[in-house]
Amino acid sequence: SDSVYIYDEAGQAMIQQQKPWLREPHYFKSVRISALALLKMVVHARSGGTIEVMGIMQGKIEGDTIIVMDAFVLPVEGTETRVNAQADAYEYMVEYAQTNKTVGRLENVVGWYHSHPGYGCWLSGIDVNTQLQNQKYQEPFLAVVIDPTRTVSAGKVEIGAFRTYPEGYKPPDEQPSEYQTIPLNKIEDFGVHCKQYYPLDITYFKSSLDSHLLDLLWNKYWVNTLSSSPLLGNRDYVAGQVADLAEKLEHVENQLAHSGCVGTFFVPPHKKKEEESQLSKITKDSSKITVEQVHGLMSQVIKDALFNSISP
Amino acid sequence: SLLRQISSLLRRLPAIESAKFQDDFLTEYNDTLLMTYLAM
Amino acid sequence: EEQVSVIREGLAELYVNEEEWSKAAQMLSGIDLESGIRMLDDTYKLSKCVKIALLYLEDDDAVNAETFIKKASFLVNNSKDEGLNLQYKVCYARILDLKRKFLEAALRYYELSQLEKREFEGRQVDEDELQQALTAAVTCTILAAAGPQRSRVLATLYKDERCSKLKIYPILQKVYLERILRKPEVDAFAEELKPHQKALLPDNSTVLDRAMIEHNLLSASKLYTNISFEELGALLGIGSQKAEKIAARMISEDRMKGSIDQVEGIIHFGTDMEELQQWDQQIVNICQALNDVLDSMAKKGL
């Protein structure tokens, strides 16, 4: 199982020469991320709090899979508020990659990651541009997005891996990827660009040493499970979610009210269908938030029964 | 020494007992139930 | 003026040889740097101000030294002489230390201890001097008034692995981990202090006493939910009245959370941690205690 950690320099050089990804815009289908890289990226994303942070991933190619072996932080913040945040860190990136080679870390840079705190894993317009540039000059290159806030509330890592299509390429109709809530103030940015890229399947791997260390950690992990309160840690995020839901409800209500005034028989079926789909999304969002809240409450009640109800 | 450890462990229970905790706990409980009701 | 300054510098040199530091400083301070008759560049003026301040510091005269270091602070930005700039920084840190602005002094000592460049016009800054600066940073932080700012600097120093090799490390560790310091440890630490750090305050206690009492009070606030002033006084080794006065001052300066019931003579320590978070913390402690019991049973083969 540790063979993935051996780097075949000649093999990688050959792939670089053949450039199979040029033949097909959809060439890369999946990503494998090492436990180490995943942990480093999530910890870094969490450390940024509500500020978007950014880093670089190192790894290699295996067929149509990009393998991410490690990740490192870039001294850049606020990726969604600058045209091309990565440009600020080029010098650092180059120096880091070269220094790595001198110490025997031969993996090349294979992508970048950044965080979307609280608003889901997708590529914004700025991200699409950055990724298009990278895929033009630094192939093979992958874009990974992590949402640290939803990671805490959902209890699993919210992460997405994407590749952009070449400009002007018309993708075949995609099967809808897993549903995720997009906040109202981001929906436009999401909608305009969501056809310019596609998600890759993500799987993880770990070394035998990782397994051993994680097993040891697992022995202590039960303490975290019993002493955590998702309700407490995520108040701001949930409040933001409910506010976003209220805004969307008002939005749809106005539309329905508007279409209602010309009577339903004038509303073309696809328009009616579209409003229903928006309402059904809102319903889905509200039940998702509520289920997470109820889970949190259940754990509080269990903790209360376990640790408070014992009278001496 | 083992028995002493166990008795000190038991003396830590219940984990917390204060009027303030009860208030906060019930507030959180009611908030979540209210959210469930509103979602319904 | 040229001749006057040459004579003054010569006389100052003689005073220095006789270790008459203040006289040497006064002799140099008579040189007119601002007359405008002679074109003097900032580096020359800066070197004179720093030299005068250092001479006053040899006599622990922080007031006069500060006068000249303030003049120097207007000149230091234009100076390219790194050796002189370093002297300026050392001088400034020592003046803050003398004036008992311990937290600011600690931050400057710490900055000096992280010096990268070691060579200044043939003058070598060796590892020993950096270690002295680091020790001075730790000492000043410990002497600083207890509170959130001091805790932040303590955390920085505690995480700096160079500190673990210092003789002062054990007390730094106890102070950082907010453990109560016993009298023997405080006395051992007192031996390392400079005279001005042992100076008496108006209420006849020393700077160190005050720092230690405040530290122990803050540690007690982490241990107890509430405590009577008799007990608190006994724990701190002072009278209950004094314990109440110090606690009241720390609470009013927002360096400690709590409230005082003067009728009952009890202090209730507060915490900015929410009840629900405290609950989680208690659960962690219970689980850890359970884990320890299981580990010791496993060790005993039970």
Side-chain angles (χ1 to χ4, degrees):
Chain A
S1 69
D2 290 355
S3 59
V4 68
Y5 289 88
I6 297 163
Y7 187 78
D8 166 14
E9 200 166 358
Q12 292 302 311
M14 189 151 60
I15 294 173
Q16 275 291 353
Q17 258 161 16
Q18 291 162 357
K19 299 190 192 308
W21 48 82
L22 293 180
R23 289 196 297 269
E24 188 202 334
H26 214 293
Y27 175 77
F28 287 111
K29 305 269 187 314
S30 53
V31 188
R32 296 183 67 208
I33 301 179
S34 72
L36 173 75
L38 179 70
L39 274 173
K40 285 168 85 170
M41 291 193 281
V42 172
V43 167
H44 177 211
R46 281 225 5 95
S47 69
T50 55
I51 295 175
E52 293 97 359
V53 294
M54 172 182 194
I56 291 291
M57 301 179 293
Q58 288 165 286
K60 56 188 180 181
I61 306 301
E62 205 168 77
D64 65 358
T65 302
I66 296 179
I67 299 179
V68 178
M69 304 300 291
D70 199 351
F72 62 90
V73 173
L74 282 182
V76 172
E77 282 183 348
T79 46
E80 301 305 329
T81 50
R82 323 147 88 110
V83 175
N84 179 2
Q86 201 171 313
D88 287 4
Y90 272 137
E91 193 182 327
Y92 180 91
M93 261 167 61
V94 169
E95 206 170 312
Y96 187 97
Q98 279 161 1
T99 314
N100 256 319
K101 294 232 182 325
T102 53
V103 295
R105 293 295 308 273
L106 302 174
E107 286 92 358
N108 291 315
V109 169
V110 289
W112 65 303
Y113 70 90
H114 69 291
S115 61
H116 280 184
Y119 52 94
C121 301
W122 41 280
L123 292 188
S124 67
I126 286 178
D127 300 341
V128 168
N129 284 330
T130 303
Q131 181 58 15
L132 277 171
Q133 293 302 315
N134 287 320
Q135 286 187 211
K136 235 181 235 157
Y137 304 110
Q138 301 207 60
E139 280 288 40
F141 217 81
L142 176 72
V144 162
V145 184
I146 289 173
D147 182 340
T149 312
R150 291 189 183 179
T151 294
V152 175
S153 79
K156 70 178 182 61
V157 177
E158 288 287 313
I159 184 170
F162 308 99
R163 291 264 302 167
T164 50
Y165 291 119
E167 276 166 302
Y169 174 80
K170 275 274 167 280
D173 245 359
E174 302 282 312
Q175 79 285 357
S177 57
E178 186 193 334
Y179 174 78
Q180 64 174 320
T181 313
I182 308 290
L184 196 59
N185 61 352
K186 303 272 182 190
I187 273 191
E188 184 169 343
D189 196 5
F190 170 77
V192 169
H193 303 280
C194 61
K195 297 286 181 211
Q196 286 176 268
Y197 57 88
Y198 67 93
L200 289 85
D201 297 329
I202 300 179
T203 54
Y204 305 101
F205 63 94
K206 56 191 177 192
S207 70
S208 44
L209 175 63
D210 290 339
S211 306
H212 177 58
L213 292 175
L214 291 170
D215 290 345
L216 291 177
L217 279 173
W218 189 258
N219 292 342
K220 291 281 190 262
Y221 189 68
W222 60 278
V223 178
N224 283 38
T225 308
L226 279 178
S227 63
S228 66
S229 298
L231 298 185
L232 217 56
N234 259 336
R235 276 188 190 142
D236 298 351
Y237 168 63
V238 174
Q241 290 273 65
V242 173
D244 180 56
L245 207 58
E247 232 179 302
K248 284 176 180 168
L249 272 175
E250 259 173 46
H251 198 70
V252 166
E253 197 176 347
N254 297 340
Q255 279 185 340
L256 280 178
H258 174 74
S259 61
C261 76
V262 293
T264 50
F265 46 85
F266 276 152
V267 177
H270 77 278
K271 189 92 174 75
K272 190 166 169 29
K273 192 163 167 6
E274 197 244 337
E275 269 140 19
E276 267 162 26
S277 82
Q278 278 190 40
L279 262 181
S280 66
K281 274 186 186 167
I282 290 171
T283 314
K284 206 182 285 187
D285 288 350
S286 86
S287 52
K288 191 161 178 261
I289 297 173
T290 308
V291 162
E292 282 170 4
Q293 286 294 300
V294 171
H295 277 170
L297 184 62
M298 279 154 59
S299 79
Q300 293 292 77
V301 170
I302 291 170
K303 282 158 60 179
D304 189 45
L306 257 180
F307 296 101
N308 285 350
S309 58
I310 301 155
S311 52
Chain B
S1 68
L2 199 51
L3 286 175
R4 247 201 314 276
Q5 261 186 300
I6 292 171
S7 78
S8 95
L9 167 61
L10 294 179
R11 244 200 308 276
R12 287 172 187 267
L13 292 171
I16 195 164
E17 255 184 328
S18 71
K20 176 102 179 42
F21 169 75
Q22 288 308 331
D23 292 350
D24 290 358
F25 187 78
L26 284 179
T27 306
E28 188 174 62
Y29 193 97
N30 294 333
D31 285 353
T32 307
L33 293 188
L34 176 64
M35 274 188 73
T36 315
Y37 176 68
L38 287 173
M40 297 293 281
Chain C
E1 281 200 10
E2 199 58 47
Q3 288 72 13
V4 166
S5 64
V6 168
I7 292 171
R8 282 184 176 277
E9 284 180 22
L11 275 175
E13 215 43 53
L14 294 175
Y15 277 129
V16 165
N17 296 338
E18 285 161 24
E19 299 200 355
E20 296 281 352
W21 312 112
S22 295
K23 285 198 174 131
Q26 281 147 21
M27 190 50 67
L28 286 177
S29 49
I31 295 175
D32 192 346
L33 301 171
E34 306 303 337
S35 68
I37 297 175
R38 293 186 298 162
M39 288 314 290
L40 301 172
D41 73 342
D42 282 353
T43 305
Y44 173 80
K45 292 183 198 173
L46 175 65
S47 65
K48 285 295 160 260
C49 291
V50 168
K51 182 151 175 66
I52 294 167
L54 284 170
L55 287 169
Y56 276 124
L57 278 180
E58 289 308 317
D59 275 349
D60 283 352
D61 178 352
V63 176
N64 282 316
E66 186 173 25
T67 311
F68 285 90
I69 213 64
K70 281 218 164 92
K71 284 183 187 168
S73 56
F74 295 110
L75 301 162
V76 70
N77 294 328
N78 311 332
S79 155
K80 299 283 176 290
D81 180 335
E82 285 175 325
L84 191 53
N85 294 351
L86 177 64
Q87 271 193 327
Y88 164 80
K89 284 181 184 171
V90 170
C91 199
Y92 202 108
R94 286 179 56 192
I95 288 172
L96 290 170
D97 184 353
L98 269 172
K99 291 177 70 76
R100 296 194 204 133
K101 293 179 179 172
F102 290 119
L103 212 50
E104 291 168 68
L107 288 169
R108 287 174 181 274
Y109 279 132
Y110 188 59
E111 186 195 338
L112 287 167
S113 77
Q114 294 176 305
L115 203 63
E116 278 182 15
K117 188 172 182 321
R118 301 291 173 84
E119 182 81 33
F120 298 94
E121 293 89 39
R123 170 147 171 22
Q124 184 72 24
V125 176
D126 60 22
E127 207 52 47
D128 228 17
E129 288 171 293
L130 297 186
Q131 203 168 65
Q132 277 170 34
L134 192 59
T135 305
V138 172
T139 303
C140 287
T141 308
I142 291 174
L143 292 174
Q149 279 185 319
R150 173 175 178 260
S151 308
R152 261 196 296 280
V153 180
L154 278 172
T156 306
L157 289 167
Y158 185 68
K159 286 169 191 153
D160 185 327
E161 74 279 351
R162 295 175 300 161
C163 289
S164 55
K165 302 179 188 71
L166 299 179
K167 190 171 163 232
I168 199 173
Y169 182 71
I171 198 160
L172 166 64
Q173 185 172 38
K174 289 202 93 170
V175 170
Y176 170 67
L177 297 175
E178 292 175 344
R179 289 176 189 156
I180 290 187
L181 295 168
R182 302 296 172 195
K183 189 111 180 58
E185 292 162 318
V186 176
D187 296 342
F189 174 64
E191 256 132 59
E192 310 290 322
L193 296 183
K194 298 189 192 103
H196 73 277
Q197 290 168 337
K198 292 182 201 169
L200 288 184
L201 294 170
D203 64 356
N204 247 355
S205 66
T206 66
V207 171
L208 177 63
D209 294 338
R210 190 207 59 194
M212 288 302 111
I213 289 169
E214 288 187 356
H215 165 80
N216 285 340
L217 182 45
L218 214 52
S219 308
S221 75
K222 301 284 192 283
L223 279 177
Y224 297 91
T225 309
N226 53 42
I227 186 170
S228 72
F229 281 112
E230 270 69 39
E231 295 298 321
L232 183 60
L235 182 72
L236 301 177
I238 55 178
S240 60
Q241 289 280 341
K242 187 166 181 185
E244 179 177 345
K245 200 177 280 296
I246 293 175
R249 181 159 44 82
M250 287 181 75
I251 292 174
S252 63
E253 289 169 2
D254 206 16
R255 288 192 286 134
M256 182 168 72
K257 298 249 185 282
S259 61
I260 291 177
D261 177 339
Q262 287 191 310
V263 176
E264 300 292 329
I266 287 185
I267 179 170
H268 296 269
F269 294 115
T271 143
D272 37 14
M273 189 192 265
E274 274 190 58
E275 291 291 296
L276 291 169
Q277 279 168 321
Q278 280 187 53
W279 182 36
D280 287 338
Q281 190 50 47
Q282 299 282 47
I283 289 173
V284 170
N285 299 337
I286 289 170
C287 294
Q288 237 113 43
L290 174 63
N291 218 44
D292 296 347
V293 167
L294 293 173
D295 287 349
S296 16
M297 286 173 77
K299 235 176 260 162
K300 292 178 175 11
L302 292 174

